[in-house]
Amino acid sequence: MNTTRTDPTTLWRLIVQAGGVRAYVDGQLRERGFLVTRRDADQMSDREKDQYKKQLKAEAEERKKLKRETWAAFKANHIVHLGDGVFWADEAKPDKWDTPNSEERAAENELPALDTPQQLAEALGVTVPQLRGMAYHRDAATSLHYVRFAIPKRDGTERPIWAPKKRLKAAQRWILHNIVERLPVHGSAQGFLVGRSTLTNAEVHTNAKILLKMDVKEFFPTVTWRRVKGVFRRAGYRDRMATLLAMLCTEAPREVVQVEGKTYYVSLGPRCLPQGAPTSPAITNALCLRLDRRLAGLAAKLGWRYSRYADDMTFSLPAGHADRPRLGALLGCVRRVVVAEGFEVKDEKTRVHRSGGRQSVTGLVVNGDGRPRAPRKLRRELRAAVHNLKAGKPLKEGESIARLTGYAAYVYMTDPKLGKKLLAGLLGIEEKKD
């Protein structure tokens, strides 16, 4: 049989059926007439020795060729290696860190059964080598599966965004919808969940006597690939699958370096959740289950309310609360809990707002017992922009109708009557332009 025309998957199946690589190679040598029966050369004539040596050489060359083919078949059906610092074993073995009754736990979470890299590759619609390539780690890479760009932050600095390329993005979306979104999340988590939003987050804190806002420092970079692996292990996946899933959802923070005209992306630390991957926010929600549970319990014990939107933690004391606020105790306990859960509070972003001043949560004003609402300044500017556009006046520099429409939709979320009016006005202006 000519194995060079056999595809790697079929070839590996034949190797397994033969009883392994060595048995397969010996069988092919025998079938092709290359396997030489070993004899005592001392009993041979010179002519027989020459012939015997030629036969052994031909066998060795054919054996070498067959081993190359079997190695190629092995690599096409196995992960083999995932880079420096990443433990991988193609042979499935019990691991002491595996979650007890992991299959039952995965079934409880209604997760897809994934026991081998081949099953994951098939689910993602890729080959095993393509799966390995997407998950492979290099400290100094010449190419990445991400595109880097930056967006401005409020403080004037830039936030680096690493957006996955098409194939990896499709894989991450599959992991998001079929695995991560099915994991348990605490009720206090308000971001990146169906039915929850900046509005539901703000609604928790209306009519507050005191509002406390705290941020987690370096939220996504703090969630390393090993922590992500822990999320998948607790979900019910064993070591190998948890490793692969974690590597697919993480990337190292990198610096772009030019050396002799060649571009290198040099890692600056361990792989972590990229800001730009579709899986990152949902993974943090699953990872923060215990953090949210502890902070919600702490807040309730002290008479406060708690919610979290991504890295923004908000606590509020209801207006009717008669006991001492115990703000200092809350602050100290929150910091200790956050540190115990592997994060750090960004002290410079900690803010306390009392009922006498404006109180806002994720951009929405929550003073009083009415619904959260968009800031008055934003509503006034939107009305003015629509009025000026109707009067034929130009937009401000850097402004656009698309941006104004986005703000109008934001207003609509909290005030449908006003939002509808603003959106209708902007739509009418667009139709006149066309």
Side-chain angles (χ1 to χ4, degrees):
M1 182 180 63
N2 188 354
T3 58
T4 57
R5 295 182 180 179
T6 306
D7 70 88
T9 302
T10 302
L11 178 55
W12 184 251
R13 192 179 301 119
L14 293 173
I15 293 169
V16 172
Q17 290 173 354
V21 171
R22 184 170 182 176
Y24 173 80
V25 170
D26 286 344
Q28 287 298 303
L29 289 171
R30 187 178 299 106
E31 184 178 322
R32 300 178 189 187
F34 285 96
L35 192 63
V36 180
T37 303
R38 269 42 179 183
R39 295 177 289 157
D40 186 0
D42 292 339
Q43 306 299 321
M44 299 180 190
S45 65
D46 291 342
R47 183 178 178 181
E48 288 175 327
K49 285 181 181 179
D50 288 341
Q51 185 64 26
Y52 185 56
K53 288 179 181 178
K54 288 179 181 179
Q55 290 174 339
L56 290 176
K57 185 178 180 181
E59 180 194 301
E61 289 177 353
E62 189 68 14
R63 185 183 294 276
K64 189 175 181 181
K65 176 184 173 184
L66 284 165
K67 283 187 175 180
R68 283 199 304 267
E69 292 171 357
T70 56
W71 174 239
F74 183 88
K75 288 198 298 181
N77 291 273
H78 296 79
I79 294 299
V80 184
H81 187 46
L82 283 176
D84 294 338
V86 184
F87 173 77
W88 179 264
D90 278 300
E91 184 181 353
K93 295 179 179 179
D95 188 275
K96 67 177 181 179
W97 301 111
D98 282 335
T99 303
N101 305 315
S102 56
E103 286 79 7
E104 289 85 348
R105 177 170 292 195
E108 287 174 5
N109 290 327
E110 298 183 345
L111 304 183
L114 297 172
D115 298 314
T116 66
Q118 290 86 345
Q119 288 177 324
L120 178 58
E122 184 177 344
L124 298 179
V126 299
T127 65
V128 171
Q130 287 171 337
L131 175 62
R132 178 173 59 243
M134 289 190 293
Y136 201 91
H137 174 76
R138 290 181 177 84
D139 285 333
T142 54
S143 64
L144 295 177
H145 294 283
Y146 290 83
V147 175
R148 184 189 186 280
F149 60 93
I151 58 175
K153 295 168 65 175
R154 290 181 182 179
D155 59 8
T157 60
E158 289 188 334
R159 186 191 307 278
I161 304 295
W162 292 89
K165 294 180 181 177
K166 185 176 179 180
R167 179 179 289 162
L168 179 58
K169 187 174 184 178
Q172 290 176 344
R173 286 196 181 282
W174 187 92
I175 294 170
L176 172 66
H177 298 316
N178 292 278
I179 299 177
V180 183
E181 288 182 340
R182 300 182 183 186
L183 301 181
V185 172
H186 196 269
S188 298
Q190 298 293 332
F192 315 104
L193 293 162
V194 176
R196 304 187 199 179
S197 63
T198 55
L199 176 59
T200 61
N201 185 50
E203 284 175 337
V204 176
H205 304 286
T206 57
N207 200 25
K209 184 176 182 179
I210 305 175
L211 188 71
L212 170 64
K213 297 196 291 186
M214 305 175 77
D215 275 18
V216 177
K217 187 176 182 180
E218 298 292 330
F219 191 43
F220 283 3
T222 304
V223 183
T224 63
W225 78 271
R226 295 185 187 279
R227 297 183 72 178
V228 177
K229 178 179 176 178
V231 170
F232 289 118
R233 294 192 95 163
R234 287 192 297 275
Y237 288 115
R238 296 196 180 275
D239 182 74
R240 294 194 310 161
M241 296 313 302
T243 297
L244 265 178
L245 292 167
M247 297 297 282
L248 287 170
C249 295
T250 56
E251 179 54 271
R254 294 183 182 269
E255 182 179 359
V256 182
V257 177
Q258 298 286 338
V259 179
E260 296 180 353
K262 196 169 185 178
T263 302
Y264 291 90
Y265 302 91
V266 182
S267 66
L268 302 176
R271 293 172 73 98
C272 57
L273 291 178
Q275 189 133 10
T279 41
S280 294
I283 287 174
T284 59
N285 280 338
L287 179 71
C288 289
L289 175 62
R290 191 171 65 177
L291 170 72
D292 291 335
R293 185 181 293 144
R294 293 180 68 180
L295 291 180
L298 169 66
K301 185 177 180 180
L302 297 177
W304 290 66
R305 300 170 294 193
Y306 163 73
S307 69
R308 180 183 57 81
Y309 190 97
D311 58 349
D312 297 333
M313 301 177 295
T314 307
F315 301 83
S316 62
L317 187 69
H321 192 273
D323 297 334
R324 289 188 302 112
R326 301 185 67 184
L327 178 60
L330 177 65
L331 277 165
C333 290
V334 169
R335 286 194 179 95
R336 286 193 290 272
V337 169
V338 170
V339 170
E341 293 298 324
F343 296 102
E344 184 180 349
V345 172
K346 194 173 184 178
D347 289 329
E348 60 269 28
K349 294 290 288 290
T350 299
R351 297 284 186 274
V352 177
H353 303 275
R354 301 184 185 274
S355 56
R358 195 183 83 164
Q359 298 172 324
S360 66
V361 177
T362 46
L364 297 173
V365 179
V366 295
N367 293 77
D369 55 4
R371 288 192 75 197
R373 54 210 175 273
R376 183 180 301 163
K377 181 181 178 183
L378 174 62
R379 288 177 282 158
R380 185 169 59 244
E381 288 178 350
L382 275 172
R383 286 195 191 98
V386 173
H387 175 78
N388 290 337
L389 283 168
K390 286 181 176 179
K393 296 180 182 180
L395 289 169
K396 292 180 181 179
E397 186 178 351
E399 195 58 271
S400 67
I401 291 182
R403 183 179 172 89
L404 292 174
T405 302
Y407 281 129
Y410 183 67
V411 171
Y412 180 85
M413 179 176 67
T414 60
D415 187 344
K417 185 177 178 180
L418 174 59
K420 188 176 181 179
K421 183 179 178 181
L422 292 169
L423 287 168
L426 290 167
L427 180 62
I429 293 164
E430 280 283 22
E431 288 175 345
K432 286 180 181 179
K433 285 176 64 179
D434 293 340

